[in-house]
Amino acid sequence: LIFDDIRVLLDQQFNRLSELEQEAMFWLAIEREPVTLSQLRHNLVDPASEPNLPEALRSLMQRSLIEKADIGFMQQPVVMEYMTERLIERVCAELLTENVNLFVSHSLIKAQAKDYIRASQTRLILEPIAERLYKTFGSQEEVKQRLDRILHLLREEDSPSLGYGAGNILNLLHQLKIDLTGYDFSGLTVWQAY
């Protein structure tokens, strides 16, 4: 009951955020530990957003949605849990509609993260997405076909090499134990595949 009240409050706060503020909130949930401004800038797909990031972080701190630690920015556990669930819901919705914005702009796991962080990202983000896709589509083959279509859509975009989409697809295929033989990722930059 208390978490439901907190969720309503967080929904209201989240819906008031700018696109860049939302993007930063998702990245902090993915990172799962304090990160520096430089690390957050490095994660952004759109370099035009980088100059506005410090102001977005300041705004998030004023709203008490993030905190500044000695080594960077972080979220409180309840906010991180909320943002993780929101990330999973949005990514699954995007994969259903094939309108993949968040799926391309954010990595579901970070290949270069510390082992315990990557394990946490896999357990708390990648696995739930894979499970929901499997439940939604009913079979591994149906999920594979959907991910194949999204891979095809990524290849057709104006700048297909940008973003985390190809890496996310590889990570999901691996998580679902789908054979990668014959997959063609040529012409796509594969970021954060593990």
Side-chain angles (χ1 to χ4, degrees):
L1 187 61
I2 292 172
F3 190 73
D4 287 343
D5 291 342
I6 292 171
R7 184 176 176 84
V8 169
L9 179 65
L10 289 171
D11 280 339
Q12 291 169 350
Q13 288 292 319
F14 183 82
N15 292 330
R16 292 182 190 139
L17 298 179
S18 70
E19 192 173 311
L20 181 57
E21 290 168 336
Q22 289 181 11
E23 188 171 356
M25 289 292 286
F26 283 124
W27 272 117
L28 288 169
I30 292 165
E31 292 285 356
R32 313 222 57 86
E33 66 180 358
V35 290
T36 64
L37 176 62
S38 156
Q39 289 170 303
L40 283 173
R41 279 188 171 138
H42 181 71
N43 289 338
L44 298 177
V45 172
D46 182 9
S49 301
E50 289 180 24
N52 301 322
L53 187 58
E55 182 57 38
L57 294 172
R58 225 178 342 272
S59 173
L60 291 170
M61 283 190 301
Q62 288 172 345
R63 295 174 185 190
S64 300
L65 291 172
I66 66 170
E67 295 179 355
K68 179 101 167 83
D70 291 340
I71 54 173
F73 299 93
M74 60 184 272
Q75 295 170 330
Q76 285 294 326
V78 70
V79 175
M80 187 181 299
E81 183 179 335
Y82 168 81
M83 289 305 303
T84 301
E85 184 58 34
R86 188 126 191 180
L87 173 71
I88 292 166
E89 289 170 2
R90 286 234 344 236
V91 166
C92 289
E94 287 184 3
L95 293 173
L96 283 173
T97 63
E98 298 180 8
N99 184 15
V100 288
N101 296 314
L102 189 65
F103 185 74
V104 171
S105 67
H106 290 74
S107 177
L108 301 178
I109 63 171
K110 303 278 301 265
Q112 290 85 21
K114 298 171 190 158
D115 289 343
Y116 73 94
I117 295 291
R118 190 176 50 257
S120 176
Q121 292 167 337
T122 300
R123 187 179 77 257
L124 298 172
I125 300 171
L126 193 63
E127 282 178 17
I129 291 171
E131 287 171 14
R132 287 187 191 190
L133 289 175
Y134 187 78
K135 285 179 185 174
T136 300
F137 292 107
S139 74
Q140 196 177 49
E141 184 58 32
E142 291 293 322
V143 175
K144 180 184 178 299
Q145 287 176 7
R146 177 57 55 110
L147 293 176
D148 288 349
R149 277 207 312 263
I150 291 169
L151 188 62
H152 180 73
L153 292 171
L154 291 176
R155 191 172 267 111
E156 290 179 345
E157 286 185 7
D158 292 336
S159 54
S161 64
L162 297 178
Y164 297 95
N168 284 337
I169 288 174
L170 262 172
N171 289 327
L172 278 169
L173 290 170
H174 181 262
Q175 182 65 37
L176 291 161
K177 296 177 179 31
I178 293 174
D179 183 15
L180 298 174
T181 304
Y183 269 88
D184 180 10
F185 286 84
S186 62
L188 296 170
T189 302
V190 180
W191 291 351
Q192 300 299 337
Y194 184 72

